Amino acid sequence: MTRDASLFVQLGPVPPDDLHVDGVVVQGTGGVYDVRLASGATASASLRGRLKHEDRGALKLAVGDKVTLRWENSDPGAWIITTIHPRMSKLARRAPGGARGERVVVANLDQVLVVFAAARPEPHPRMLDRFLVIAEANGLHARIVVNKCDLVTPEQAHALFREHADAGYPVHYTSIATGEGLQELHDALAGRSSALSGPSGVGKSSLMNRLFPGLDLRTAAISDSVNKGRHTTVGAVLHPLPCGGFLADTPGLREVGLWGIDPVDVPHCFPEFAPMLGKCRFADCLHTVEPGCAIRDAVVSGTVSRGRYESYVKLREELSAQH
Ligand code: GDP
Ligand code: ZN
C-alpha cells in the first residue's frame, strides 16, 4: 500500500495549510486510521478536534467510512479527520436490545459475496440461506459464487442453487482449475466495495489470489468457521482493488450473526416473499400454521421453494427464541 510518503510527493514536501481531502477509512487501530485518497495514496489520520457529522452521539468511525481530512500544518504536521460522511450501509454486529450495543464491522459495503463449493466441501443451501438473511438484514446486496465447478457437471452446478437464482440472487459459477466465470466475477467486484463470506475450504483465498495477485488477504480471517471464537483479535481491513473498489477482509458474516434481527423482519429477508407480503388472511400472519397464508400458498404452487421456506421457519423460530 502506498503510504504517506507518496502523498507528500504529490502534494509537495509541505502540503498547504488547511488543505481538505476526501477519502475512505481502510484500516484503523488505536485512534490512527489509514485513509485511502482518490489519488491512490494512503494518509494516516487521527480523530481529534471537533467532528462534524449528523449523528454525533451514535456514530463511531468504522472501516469503510467516507471522511474528509484536514492537513494541520503544525510541527510535525498531521492529517485530522474533520468529517464523517453519512453511511450508505453498514454491516453491524448487533447486541440484543437494539442499536446501543451495535458495532459496525464495515461501512458502505455495496455487496456481499457468499462463496460455496460445488463439491468438496458439499454445499449446504440452508447454510447459504442463513448468510443471505444476515446480508438482507444489513441491507446489503448478495451475490452467490459456486466455486470448484470443475468437480461437477454444469447441470449439477446449476441445480445446486437454482432456488436462489429463482429468488433473484445473481449466481456466479467459477473454477480456479478451468478459469470459468473468473472474468465475470472480476467485473462484479470492479468499482464496488465487497465483503466475502462462506465456509472454509471453498476457495475464497484461491479466487481472490487469482483475481488480484498480491492482495495479501489474511486468509484465515475470511474463513467463517476458522475464525469462530477469534473475533476479538480481528478487525476489518479494506483492500483497494486495482480495478477500483475495495475488498473487505472481515471476520465474516457468520460472526456478525443473526443476533439482534427482529423476528418480524425475517419475511423481508427473503426477497421472493415480497409479492405475497400483506396478502395473507391475517395481518399478523407468521406464515407458519395460519390458514389463508399467501406465503404457504406460494410454496404449494411452487412459486417459493420448499427449502427456502423451511429456512424461513427455522430462522424465524431461532430468532423468536432469542428475543
Ligand atoms: P478458503 O478456505 O475458502 O479460502 O479456500 P482455499 O482458497 O484455501 O481453497 C481450499 C482448497 O480448495 C485448496 O486446496 C484449493 O487449491 C482448492 N480449490 C480452490 N478453488 C478450486 C477450484 O476451483 N477447483 C478445485 N478443484 N479446487 C479448488
Ligand atoms: Zn402468511
PDB file of all heavy atoms in Angstrom, residues 115 117 119-121 146-151 174-179 182 196-209 219-220 222-226, ligand 1:
ATOM      1  N   VAL A 115     -19.569 -17.415  -0.892  1.00  0.00           N
ATOM      2  CA  VAL A 115     -18.911 -18.429  -1.725  1.00  0.00           C
ATOM      3  C   VAL A 115     -19.181 -19.817  -1.156  1.00  0.00           C
ATOM      4  O   VAL A 115     -19.024 -20.043   0.054  1.00  0.00           O
ATOM      5  CB  VAL A 115     -17.383 -18.177  -1.783  1.00  0.00           C
ATOM      6  CG1 VAL A 115     -16.720 -19.139  -2.774  1.00  0.00           C
ATOM      7  CG2 VAL A 115     -17.078 -16.731  -2.160  1.00  0.00           C
ATOM      8  N   ALA A 117     -18.627 -24.164  -2.466  1.00  0.00           N
ATOM      9  CA  ALA A 117     -18.041 -25.032  -3.474  1.00  0.00           C
ATOM     10  C   ALA A 117     -19.135 -25.927  -4.038  1.00  0.00           C
ATOM     11  O   ALA A 117     -20.057 -26.312  -3.312  1.00  0.00           O
ATOM     12  CB  ALA A 117     -16.929 -25.884  -2.855  1.00  0.00           C
ATOM     13  N   ALA A 119     -18.616 -28.860  -4.828  1.00  0.00           N
ATOM     14  CA  ALA A 119     -18.313 -30.104  -4.106  1.00  0.00           C
ATOM     15  C   ALA A 119     -17.008 -29.895  -3.356  1.00  0.00           C
ATOM     16  O   ALA A 119     -16.219 -29.023  -3.717  1.00  0.00           O
ATOM     17  CB  ALA A 119     -18.170 -31.267  -5.089  1.00  0.00           C
ATOM     18  N   ARG A 120     -16.777 -30.738  -2.354  1.00  0.00           N
ATOM     19  CA  ARG A 120     -15.541 -30.699  -1.553  1.00  0.00           C
ATOM     20  C   ARG A 120     -15.216 -29.312  -1.023  1.00  0.00           C
ATOM     21  O   ARG A 120     -14.330 -28.648  -1.576  1.00  0.00           O
ATOM     22  CB  ARG A 120     -14.358 -31.257  -2.366  1.00  0.00           C
ATOM     23  CG  ARG A 120     -14.442 -32.763  -2.523  1.00  0.00           C
ATOM     24  CD  ARG A 120     -13.166 -33.305  -3.138  1.00  0.00           C
ATOM     25  NE  ARG A 120     -13.465 -33.944  -4.415  1.00  0.00           N
ATOM     26  CZ  ARG A 120     -12.594 -34.121  -5.401  1.00  0.00           C
ATOM     27  NH1 ARG A 120     -11.349 -33.701  -5.284  1.00  0.00           N
ATOM     28  NH2 ARG A 120     -12.935 -34.711  -6.511  1.00  0.00           N
ATOM     29  N   PRO A 121     -15.822 -28.817  -0.016  1.00  0.00           N
ATOM     30  CA  PRO A 121     -16.880 -29.466   0.761  1.00  0.00           C
ATOM     31  C   PRO A 121     -18.266 -29.357   0.117  1.00  0.00           C
ATOM     32  O   PRO A 121     -18.494 -28.434  -0.670  1.00  0.00           O
ATOM     33  CB  PRO A 121     -16.853 -28.679   2.084  1.00  0.00           C
ATOM     34  CG  PRO A 121     -16.385 -27.316   1.687  1.00  0.00           C
ATOM     35  CD  PRO A 121     -15.408 -27.534   0.568  1.00  0.00           C
ATOM     36  N   VAL A 146     -20.545 -20.055  -6.840  1.00  0.00           N
ATOM     37  CA  VAL A 146     -20.409 -21.505  -6.767  1.00  0.00           C
ATOM     38  C   VAL A 146     -19.051 -21.834  -7.384  1.00  0.00           C
ATOM     39  O   VAL A 146     -18.891 -21.805  -8.606  1.00  0.00           O
ATOM     40  CB  VAL A 146     -21.536 -22.225  -7.537  1.00  0.00           C
ATOM     41  CG1 VAL A 146     -21.433 -23.734  -7.326  1.00  0.00           C
ATOM     42  CG2 VAL A 146     -22.899 -21.715  -7.107  1.00  0.00           C
ATOM     43  N   ASN A 147     -18.075 -22.095  -6.519  1.00  0.00           N
ATOM     44  CA  ASN A 147     -16.708 -22.350  -6.995  1.00  0.00           C
ATOM     45  C   ASN A 147     -16.476 -23.857  -7.137  1.00  0.00           C
ATOM     46  O   ASN A 147     -17.320 -24.656  -6.742  1.00  0.00           O
ATOM     47  CB  ASN A 147     -15.707 -21.716  -6.018  1.00  0.00           C
ATOM     48  CG  ASN A 147     -14.292 -21.751  -6.546  1.00  0.00           C
ATOM     49  OD1 ASN A 147     -14.050 -21.559  -7.745  1.00  0.00           O
ATOM     50  ND2 ASN A 147     -13.324 -22.003  -5.669  1.00  0.00           N
ATOM     51  N   LYS A 148     -15.353 -24.240  -7.694  1.00  0.00           N
ATOM     52  CA  LYS A 148     -14.978 -25.650  -7.931  1.00  0.00           C
ATOM     53  C   LYS A 148     -15.952 -26.328  -8.883  1.00  0.00           C
ATOM     54  O   LYS A 148     -16.264 -27.519  -8.725  1.00  0.00           O
ATOM     55  CB  LYS A 148     -14.877 -26.442  -6.611  1.00  0.00           C
ATOM     56  CG  LYS A 148     -13.966 -25.805  -5.552  1.00  0.00           C
ATOM     57  CD  LYS A 148     -13.525 -26.799  -4.498  1.00  0.00           C
ATOM     58  CE  LYS A 148     -12.833 -26.099  -3.334  1.00  0.00           C
ATOM     59  NZ  LYS A 148     -12.252 -27.015  -2.353  1.00  0.00           N
ATOM     60  N   CYS A 149     -16.443 -25.557  -9.867  1.00  0.00           N
ATOM     61  CA  CYS A 149     -17.393 -26.136 -10.822  1.00  0.00           C
ATOM     62  C   CYS A 149     -16.752 -27.222 -11.681  1.00  0.00           C
ATOM     63  O   CYS A 149     -17.456 -27.994 -12.323  1.00  0.00           O
ATOM     64  CB  CYS A 149     -18.000 -25.037 -11.702  1.00  0.00           C
ATOM     65  SG  CYS A 149     -19.313 -24.157 -10.843  1.00  0.00           S
ATOM     66  N   ASP A 150     -15.406 -27.280 -11.689  1.00  0.00           N
ATOM     67  CA  ASP A 150     -14.727 -28.357 -12.422  1.00  0.00           C
ATOM     68  C   ASP A 150     -15.009 -29.733 -11.819  1.00  0.00           C
ATOM     69  O   ASP A 150     -14.781 -30.753 -12.465  1.00  0.00           O
ATOM     70  CB  ASP A 150     -13.218 -28.085 -12.439  1.00  0.00           C
ATOM     71  CG  ASP A 150     -12.640 -27.862 -11.038  1.00  0.00           C
ATOM     72  OD1 ASP A 150     -12.908 -26.782 -10.446  1.00  0.00           O
ATOM     73  OD2 ASP A 150     -11.946 -28.737 -10.522  1.00  0.00           O
ATOM     74  N   LEU A 151     -15.496 -29.762 -10.583  1.00  0.00           N
ATOM     75  CA  LEU A 151     -15.698 -31.056  -9.913  1.00  0.00           C
ATOM     76  C   LEU A 151     -17.069 -31.672 -10.194  1.00  0.00           C
ATOM     77  O   LEU A 151     -17.331 -32.800  -9.774  1.00  0.00           O
ATOM     78  CB  LEU A 151     -15.505 -30.897  -8.397  1.00  0.00           C
ATOM     79  CG  LEU A 151     -14.124 -30.413  -7.928  1.00  0.00           C
ATOM     80  CD1 LEU A 151     -14.079 -30.280  -6.409  1.00  0.00           C
ATOM     81  CD2 LEU A 151     -13.030 -31.369  -8.410  1.00  0.00           C
ATOM     82  N   THR A 174     -17.891 -20.630 -10.944  1.00  0.00           N
ATOM     83  CA  THR A 174     -16.463 -20.390 -11.157  1.00  0.00           C
ATOM     84  C   THR A 174     -15.632 -21.651 -10.924  1.00  0.00           C
ATOM     85  O   THR A 174     -16.078 -22.605 -10.294  1.00  0.00           O
ATOM     86  CB  THR A 174     -15.930 -19.312 -10.185  1.00  0.00           C
ATOM     87  OG1 THR A 174     -16.108 -19.761  -8.835  1.00  0.00           O
ATOM     88  CG2 THR A 174     -16.635 -17.980 -10.375  1.00  0.00           C
ATOM     89  N   SER A 175     -14.415 -21.608 -11.469  1.00  0.00           N
ATOM     90  CA  SER A 175     -13.432 -22.656 -11.188  1.00  0.00           C
ATOM     91  C   SER A 175     -12.033 -22.088 -11.356  1.00  0.00           C
ATOM     92  O   SER A 175     -11.734 -21.443 -12.356  1.00  0.00           O
ATOM     93  CB  SER A 175     -13.619 -23.834 -12.148  1.00  0.00           C
ATOM     94  OG  SER A 175     -12.476 -24.661 -12.090  1.00  0.00           O
ATOM     95  N   ILE A 176     -11.230 -22.328 -10.353  1.00  0.00           N
ATOM     96  CA  ILE A 176      -9.825 -21.955 -10.451  1.00  0.00           C
ATOM     97  C   ILE A 176      -9.136 -22.866 -11.464  1.00  0.00           C
ATOM     98  O   ILE A 176      -8.234 -22.447 -12.186  1.00  0.00           O
ATOM     99  CB  ILE A 176      -9.128 -22.131  -9.068  1.00  0.00           C
ATOM    100  CG1 ILE A 176      -9.773 -21.247  -8.029  1.00  0.00           C
ATOM    101  CG2 ILE A 176      -7.633 -21.869  -9.168  1.00  0.00           C
ATOM    102  CD1 ILE A 176      -9.508 -19.785  -8.212  1.00  0.00           C
ATOM    103  N   ALA A 177      -9.583 -24.107 -11.509  1.00  0.00           N
ATOM    104  CA  ALA A 177      -8.929 -25.091 -12.368  1.00  0.00           C
ATOM    105  C   ALA A 177      -9.132 -24.779 -13.852  1.00  0.00           C
ATOM    106  O   ALA A 177      -8.205 -24.917 -14.648  1.00  0.00           O
ATOM    107  CB  ALA A 177      -9.447 -26.493 -12.036  1.00  0.00           C
ATOM    108  N   THR A 178     -10.340 -24.364 -14.241  1.00  0.00           N
ATOM    109  CA  THR A 178     -10.611 -24.105 -15.669  1.00  0.00           C
ATOM    110  C   THR A 178     -10.667 -22.615 -16.004  1.00  0.00           C
ATOM    111  O   THR A 178     -10.664 -22.241 -17.170  1.00  0.00           O
ATOM    112  CB  THR A 178     -11.971 -24.713 -16.084  1.00  0.00           C
ATOM    113  OG1 THR A 178     -13.010 -23.988 -15.392  1.00  0.00           O
ATOM    114  CG2 THR A 178     -12.044 -26.196 -15.738  1.00  0.00           C
ATOM    115  N   GLY A 179     -10.744 -21.760 -15.009  1.00  0.00           N
ATOM    116  CA  GLY A 179     -10.849 -20.321 -15.273  1.00  0.00           C
ATOM    117  C   GLY A 179     -12.276 -19.869 -15.545  1.00  0.00           C
ATOM    118  O   GLY A 179     -12.538 -18.673 -15.733  1.00  0.00           O
ATOM    119  N   LEU A 182     -14.316 -16.476 -14.084  1.00  0.00           N
ATOM    120  CA  LEU A 182     -13.455 -15.575 -13.305  1.00  0.00           C
ATOM    121  C   LEU A 182     -13.543 -14.126 -13.796  1.00  0.00           C
ATOM    122  O   LEU A 182     -13.536 -13.197 -12.998  1.00  0.00           O
ATOM    123  CB  LEU A 182     -12.008 -16.078 -13.315  1.00  0.00           C
ATOM    124  CG  LEU A 182     -11.789 -17.445 -12.653  1.00  0.00           C
ATOM    125  CD1 LEU A 182     -10.309 -17.828 -12.649  1.00  0.00           C
ATOM    126  CD2 LEU A 182     -12.328 -17.452 -11.218  1.00  0.00           C
ATOM    127  N   LEU A 196     -16.451 -10.790   1.468  1.00  0.00           N
ATOM    128  CA  LEU A 196     -16.515 -12.210   1.118  1.00  0.00           C
ATOM    129  C   LEU A 196     -16.970 -12.995   2.325  1.00  0.00           C
ATOM    130  O   LEU A 196     -16.563 -12.725   3.441  1.00  0.00           O
ATOM    131  CB  LEU A 196     -15.120 -12.724   0.813  1.00  0.00           C
ATOM    132  CG  LEU A 196     -14.522 -12.571  -0.542  1.00  0.00           C
ATOM    133  CD1 LEU A 196     -13.191 -13.296  -0.545  1.00  0.00           C
ATOM    134  CD2 LEU A 196     -15.435 -13.151  -1.599  1.00  0.00           C
ATOM    135  N   SER A 197     -17.768 -14.020   2.076  1.00  0.00           N
ATOM    136  CA  SER A 197     -18.153 -14.885   3.162  1.00  0.00           C
ATOM    137  C   SER A 197     -18.286 -16.298   2.639  1.00  0.00           C
ATOM    138  O   SER A 197     -18.218 -16.541   1.442  1.00  0.00           O
ATOM    139  CB  SER A 197     -19.465 -14.384   3.764  1.00  0.00           C
ATOM    140  OG  SER A 197     -19.558 -14.801   5.094  1.00  0.00           O
ATOM    141  N   GLY A 198     -18.507 -17.226   3.532  1.00  0.00           N
ATOM    142  CA  GLY A 198     -18.652 -18.614   3.125  1.00  0.00           C
ATOM    143  C   GLY A 198     -17.795 -19.512   3.987  1.00  0.00           C
ATOM    144  O   GLY A 198     -16.875 -19.048   4.655  1.00  0.00           O
ATOM    145  N   PRO A 199     -18.078 -20.809   3.961  1.00  0.00           N
ATOM    146  CA  PRO A 199     -17.330 -21.752   4.804  1.00  0.00           C
ATOM    147  C   PRO A 199     -15.869 -21.823   4.373  1.00  0.00           C
ATOM    148  O   PRO A 199     -15.517 -21.393   3.273  1.00  0.00           O
ATOM    149  CB  PRO A 199     -18.021 -23.093   4.539  1.00  0.00           C
ATOM    150  CG  PRO A 199     -19.238 -22.798   3.754  1.00  0.00           C
ATOM    151  CD  PRO A 199     -19.084 -21.464   3.130  1.00  0.00           C
ATOM    152  N   SER A 200     -15.025 -22.390   5.209  1.00  0.00           N
ATOM    153  CA  SER A 200     -13.621 -22.517   4.815  1.00  0.00           C
ATOM    154  C   SER A 200     -13.470 -23.695   3.856  1.00  0.00           C
ATOM    155  O   SER A 200     -14.301 -24.606   3.823  1.00  0.00           O
ATOM    156  CB  SER A 200     -12.739 -22.691   6.040  1.00  0.00           C
ATOM    157  OG  SER A 200     -13.077 -23.862   6.713  1.00  0.00           O
ATOM    158  N   GLY A 201     -12.444 -23.610   3.027  1.00  0.00           N
ATOM    159  CA  GLY A 201     -12.147 -24.682   2.088  1.00  0.00           C
ATOM    160  C   GLY A 201     -12.882 -24.587   0.765  1.00  0.00           C
ATOM    161  O   GLY A 201     -12.707 -25.440  -0.102  1.00  0.00           O
ATOM    162  N   VAL A 202     -13.711 -23.555   0.576  1.00  0.00           N
ATOM    163  CA  VAL A 202     -14.489 -23.446  -0.663  1.00  0.00           C
ATOM    164  C   VAL A 202     -13.722 -22.728  -1.770  1.00  0.00           C
ATOM    165  O   VAL A 202     -14.131 -22.754  -2.931  1.00  0.00           O
ATOM    166  CB  VAL A 202     -15.847 -22.749  -0.431  1.00  0.00           C
ATOM    167  CG1 VAL A 202     -16.696 -23.565   0.534  1.00  0.00           C
ATOM    168  CG2 VAL A 202     -15.679 -21.326   0.073  1.00  0.00           C
ATOM    169  N   GLY A 203     -12.596 -22.084  -1.405  1.00  0.00           N
ATOM    170  CA  GLY A 203     -11.757 -21.452  -2.421  1.00  0.00           C
ATOM    171  C   GLY A 203     -11.776 -19.938  -2.414  1.00  0.00           C
ATOM    172  O   GLY A 203     -11.399 -19.308  -3.407  1.00  0.00           O
ATOM    173  N   LYS A 204     -12.156 -19.338  -1.307  1.00  0.00           N
ATOM    174  CA  LYS A 204     -12.212 -17.875  -1.257  1.00  0.00           C
ATOM    175  C   LYS A 204     -10.838 -17.262  -1.488  1.00  0.00           C
ATOM    176  O   LYS A 204     -10.679 -16.354  -2.316  1.00  0.00           O
ATOM    177  CB  LYS A 204     -12.758 -17.401   0.104  1.00  0.00           C
ATOM    178  CG  LYS A 204     -14.207 -17.788   0.333  1.00  0.00           C
ATOM    179  CD  LYS A 204     -14.752 -17.226   1.636  1.00  0.00           C
ATOM    180  CE  LYS A 204     -14.038 -17.750   2.859  1.00  0.00           C
ATOM    181  NZ  LYS A 204     -14.134 -19.215   3.040  1.00  0.00           N
ATOM    182  N   SER A 205      -9.835 -17.765  -0.761  1.00  0.00           N
ATOM    183  CA  SER A 205      -8.497 -17.177  -0.929  1.00  0.00           C
ATOM    184  C   SER A 205      -7.950 -17.488  -2.311  1.00  0.00           C
ATOM    185  O   SER A 205      -7.322 -16.627  -2.937  1.00  0.00           O
ATOM    186  CB  SER A 205      -7.530 -17.666   0.140  1.00  0.00           C
ATOM    187  OG  SER A 205      -8.147 -18.451   1.096  1.00  0.00           O
ATOM    188  N   SER A 206      -8.195 -18.708  -2.804  1.00  0.00           N
ATOM    189  CA  SER A 206      -7.714 -19.058  -4.150  1.00  0.00           C
ATOM    190  C   SER A 206      -8.307 -18.115  -5.196  1.00  0.00           C
ATOM    191  O   SER A 206      -7.604 -17.631  -6.087  1.00  0.00           O
ATOM    192  CB  SER A 206      -8.107 -20.493  -4.514  1.00  0.00           C
ATOM    193  OG  SER A 206      -7.713 -21.388  -3.514  1.00  0.00           O
ATOM    194  N   LEU A 207      -9.600 -17.840  -5.084  1.00  0.00           N
ATOM    195  CA  LEU A 207     -10.261 -16.957  -6.050  1.00  0.00           C
ATOM    196  C   LEU A 207      -9.658 -15.559  -6.013  1.00  0.00           C
ATOM    197  O   LEU A 207      -9.339 -14.971  -7.050  1.00  0.00           O
ATOM    198  CB  LEU A 207     -11.753 -16.864  -5.738  1.00  0.00           C
ATOM    199  CG  LEU A 207     -12.647 -18.023  -6.193  1.00  0.00           C
ATOM    200  CD1 LEU A 207     -14.033 -17.902  -5.559  1.00  0.00           C
ATOM    201  CD2 LEU A 207     -12.760 -18.041  -7.714  1.00  0.00           C
ATOM    202  N   MET A 208      -9.510 -15.023  -4.804  1.00  0.00           N
ATOM    203  CA  MET A 208      -9.031 -13.645  -4.693  1.00  0.00           C
ATOM    204  C   MET A 208      -7.572 -13.533  -5.106  1.00  0.00           C
ATOM    205  O   MET A 208      -7.178 -12.560  -5.737  1.00  0.00           O
ATOM    206  CB  MET A 208      -9.245 -13.117  -3.269  1.00  0.00           C
ATOM    207  CG  MET A 208     -10.710 -12.969  -2.916  1.00  0.00           C
ATOM    208  SD  MET A 208     -11.647 -11.981  -4.138  1.00  0.00           S
ATOM    209  CE  MET A 208     -12.956 -13.128  -4.574  1.00  0.00           C
ATOM    210  N   ASN A 209      -6.778 -14.561  -4.767  1.00  0.00           N
ATOM    211  CA  ASN A 209      -5.371 -14.518  -5.186  1.00  0.00           C
ATOM    212  C   ASN A 209      -5.248 -14.602  -6.692  1.00  0.00           C
ATOM    213  O   ASN A 209      -4.353 -13.999  -7.291  1.00  0.00           O
ATOM    214  CB  ASN A 209      -4.580 -15.654  -4.522  1.00  0.00           C
ATOM    215  CG  ASN A 209      -4.398 -15.405  -3.035  1.00  0.00           C
ATOM    216  OD1 ASN A 209      -4.448 -14.259  -2.587  1.00  0.00           O
ATOM    217  ND2 ASN A 209      -4.214 -16.469  -2.268  1.00  0.00           N
ATOM    218  N   THR A 219      -5.892 -14.749   5.018  1.00  0.00           N
ATOM    219  CA  THR A 219      -6.825 -15.786   4.578  1.00  0.00           C
ATOM    220  C   THR A 219      -7.615 -16.410   5.719  1.00  0.00           C
ATOM    221  O   THR A 219      -8.777 -16.716   5.557  1.00  0.00           O
ATOM    222  CB  THR A 219      -6.089 -16.884   3.803  1.00  0.00           C
ATOM    223  OG1 THR A 219      -4.967 -17.273   4.593  1.00  0.00           O
ATOM    224  CG2 THR A 219      -5.605 -16.380   2.477  1.00  0.00           C
ATOM    225  N   ALA A 220      -6.982 -16.582   6.847  1.00  0.00           N
ATOM    226  CA  ALA A 220      -7.712 -17.204   7.954  1.00  0.00           C
ATOM    227  C   ALA A 220      -8.909 -16.348   8.354  1.00  0.00           C
ATOM    228  O   ALA A 220      -9.957 -16.864   8.721  1.00  0.00           O
ATOM    229  CB  ALA A 220      -6.797 -17.413   9.149  1.00  0.00           C
ATOM    230  N   ILE A 222     -10.845 -14.609   6.583  1.00  0.00           N
ATOM    231  CA  ILE A 222     -12.020 -14.586   5.715  1.00  0.00           C
ATOM    232  C   ILE A 222     -12.726 -15.932   5.693  1.00  0.00           C
ATOM    233  O   ILE A 222     -13.661 -16.128   4.974  1.00  0.00           O
ATOM    234  CB  ILE A 222     -11.697 -14.117   4.277  1.00  0.00           C
ATOM    235  CG1 ILE A 222     -10.702 -15.038   3.604  1.00  0.00           C
ATOM    236  CG2 ILE A 222     -11.205 -12.694   4.296  1.00  0.00           C
ATOM    237  CD1 ILE A 222     -10.519 -14.746   2.135  1.00  0.00           C
ATOM    238  N   SER A 223     -12.281 -16.871   6.488  1.00  0.00           N
ATOM    239  CA  SER A 223     -12.991 -18.144   6.582  1.00  0.00           C
ATOM    240  C   SER A 223     -13.850 -18.127   7.829  1.00  0.00           C
ATOM    241  O   SER A 223     -13.343 -18.068   8.934  1.00  0.00           O
ATOM    242  CB  SER A 223     -12.002 -19.300   6.655  1.00  0.00           C
ATOM    243  OG  SER A 223     -11.412 -19.472   5.391  1.00  0.00           O
ATOM    244  N   ASP A 224     -15.150 -18.181   7.615  1.00  0.00           N
ATOM    245  CA  ASP A 224     -16.057 -18.028   8.746  1.00  0.00           C
ATOM    246  C   ASP A 224     -15.807 -19.033   9.845  1.00  0.00           C
ATOM    247  O   ASP A 224     -15.783 -18.696  11.009  1.00  0.00           O
ATOM    248  CB  ASP A 224     -17.500 -18.145   8.261  1.00  0.00           C
ATOM    249  CG  ASP A 224     -17.930 -16.864   7.623  1.00  0.00           C
ATOM    250  OD1 ASP A 224     -18.106 -15.891   8.353  1.00  0.00           O
ATOM    251  OD2 ASP A 224     -18.035 -16.829   6.396  1.00  0.00           O
ATOM    252  N   SER A 225     -15.624 -20.291   9.453  1.00  0.00           N
ATOM    253  CA  SER A 225     -15.527 -21.303  10.502  1.00  0.00           C
ATOM    254  C   SER A 225     -14.181 -21.235  11.205  1.00  0.00           C
ATOM    255  O   SER A 225     -14.107 -21.391  12.418  1.00  0.00           O
ATOM    256  CB  SER A 225     -15.753 -22.685   9.916  1.00  0.00           C
ATOM    257  OG  SER A 225     -14.893 -22.876   8.833  1.00  0.00           O
ATOM    258  N   VAL A 226     -13.135 -20.976  10.430  1.00  0.00           N
ATOM    259  CA  VAL A 226     -11.807 -20.877  11.022  1.00  0.00           C
ATOM    260  C   VAL A 226     -11.783 -19.755  12.054  1.00  0.00           C
ATOM    261  O   VAL A 226     -11.173 -19.856  13.102  1.00  0.00           O
ATOM    262  CB  VAL A 226     -10.751 -20.601   9.930  1.00  0.00           C
ATOM    263  CG1 VAL A 226      -9.411 -20.243  10.554  1.00  0.00           C
ATOM    264  CG2 VAL A 226     -10.597 -21.825   9.038  1.00  0.00           C
TER     265      VAL A 226
HETATM  266  P1  GDP B   1     -10.849 -20.871   1.563  1.00  0.00           P
HETATM  267  O1  GDP B   1     -10.716 -21.517   2.905  1.00  0.00           O
HETATM  268  O2  GDP B   1     -12.285 -20.638   1.227  1.00  0.00           O
HETATM  269  O3  GDP B   1     -10.045 -19.623   1.426  1.00  0.00           O
HETATM  270  O4  GDP B   1     -10.341 -21.947   0.492  1.00  0.00           O
HETATM  271  P2  GDP B   1      -8.911 -22.076  -0.235  1.00  0.00           P
HETATM  272  O5  GDP B   1      -8.732 -20.980  -1.238  1.00  0.00           O
HETATM  273  O6  GDP B   1      -7.864 -22.224   0.799  1.00  0.00           O
HETATM  274  O7  GDP B   1      -9.100 -23.436  -1.051  1.00  0.00           O
HETATM  275  C1  GDP B   1      -9.272 -24.680  -0.412  1.00  0.00           C
HETATM  276  C2  GDP B   1      -8.795 -25.793  -1.333  1.00  0.00           C
HETATM  277  O8  GDP B   1      -9.608 -25.878  -2.498  1.00  0.00           O
HETATM  278  C3  GDP B   1      -7.368 -25.579  -1.851  1.00  0.00           C
HETATM  279  O9  GDP B   1      -6.714 -26.821  -1.813  1.00  0.00           O
HETATM  280  C4  GDP B   1      -7.550 -25.100  -3.264  1.00  0.00           C
HETATM  281  O10 GDP B   1      -6.471 -25.435  -4.087  1.00  0.00           O
HETATM  282  C5  GDP B   1      -8.822 -25.814  -3.682  1.00  0.00           C
HETATM  283  N1  GDP B   1      -9.561 -25.071  -4.715  1.00  0.00           N
HETATM  284  C6  GDP B   1      -9.845 -23.758  -4.728  1.00  0.00           C
HETATM  285  N2  GDP B   1     -10.552 -23.421  -5.821  1.00  0.00           N
HETATM  286  C7  GDP B   1     -10.744 -24.560  -6.516  1.00  0.00           C
HETATM  287  C8  GDP B   1     -11.414 -24.880  -7.763  1.00  0.00           C
HETATM  288  O11 GDP B   1     -11.995 -24.045  -8.443  1.00  0.00           O
HETATM  289  N3  GDP B   1     -11.412 -26.188  -8.136  1.00  0.00           N
HETATM  290  C9  GDP B   1     -10.801 -27.165  -7.401  1.00  0.00           C
HETATM  291  N4  GDP B   1     -10.860 -28.418  -7.866  1.00  0.00           N
HETATM  292  N5  GDP B   1     -10.141 -26.891  -6.237  1.00  0.00           N
HETATM  293  C10 GDP B   1     -10.115 -25.623  -5.811  1.00  0.00           C
END
